[in-house]
Amino acid sequence: MSTTLTDAIKAAAGMVDRHRGVVCLALTTDREELRLAALRFRSRSVHTVANERESESELAGHIANALTYNSNTAFWVEQHWQTILAAVIRREASDLAYRRSILRWLGRYEGPTDAPVFKVQSWQYKAAGQRAEALAEVKAALTAVRDASRTAAA
């Protein structure tokens, strides 16, 4: 393994450690979405795709559990950076879409009866933005691992 790839893995592991909660949230969300996709494919009798989604779901769950319990993050990033990167990208996209949908509704609230809803929606808007920023940092670090592994393989 080249020193560039090793350095990229260490940097990405540090970034995953720093944003561990958001990364675990992305992985568990991804696990559930893949599990539901497997059920949909199985109901349509597309068993090979359903089996692929189930194995991807189980892998995301295992990685989330390992990261939750503070195991060796560098090992998990080195071995499964593709799975983590895919989950982070999907979760960041959903957080940004959720943020855009909230933004449409925030301007429509008026009057004292809408105050509690406005407060909750404002908090959700802020939380989605913070998660998206953290996921963007993790995505950049994992993209550096991807680029380093491509140059090491070439």
Side-chain angles (χ1 to χ4, degrees):
M1 190 173 350
S2 70
T3 57
T4 308
L5 181 57
T6 306
D7 293 342
I9 289 170
K10 287 179 183 176
M15 192 63 66
V16 168
D17 272 338
R18 188 172 341 146
H19 301 296
R20 181 181 303 276
V22 178
V23 172
C24 289
L25 176 66
L27 285 164
T28 54
T29 303
D30 208 39
R31 180 188 72 204
E32 287 302 309
E33 288 176 359
L34 290 168
R35 187 183 65 78
L36 293 173
L39 289 174
R40 283 193 304 271
F41 281 116
R42 190 148 330 274
S43 71
R44 295 181 189 152
S45 298
V46 187
H47 297 291
T48 54
V49 177
N51 292 340
E52 289 175 10
R53 295 300 182 269
E54 281 179 354
S55 64
E56 291 173 16
S57 170
E58 291 171 4
L59 179 61
H62 290 305
I63 296 169
N65 286 340
L67 293 178
T68 299
Y69 295 112
N70 293 324
S71 67
N72 185 4
T73 305
F75 167 79
W76 290 98
V77 170
E78 179 182 351
Q79 298 297 319
H80 302 290
W81 61 267
Q82 298 99 332
T83 304
I84 299 170
L85 179 61
V88 163
I89 288 172
R90 285 190 278 263
R91 182 62 196 209
E92 181 192 19
S94 65
D95 276 341
L96 291 174
Y98 183 59
R99 202 169 173 208
R100 279 193 301 274
S101 71
I102 290 174
L103 192 59
R104 278 190 311 203
W105 293 103
L106 281 177
R108 297 183 182 174
Y109 294 122
E110 44 189 59
T113 58
D114 290 339
V117 176
F118 180 79
K119 187 176 181 180
V120 169
Q121 291 282 326
S122 298
W123 175 81
Q124 290 175 340
Y125 178 81
K126 182 180 175 186
Q130 290 171 344
R131 280 193 310 268
E133 288 172 8
L135 289 169
E137 291 178 11
V138 174
K139 181 176 74 171
L142 290 170
T143 304
V145 172
R146 182 195 64 198
D147 295 342
S149 67
R150 284 183 180 169
T151 57

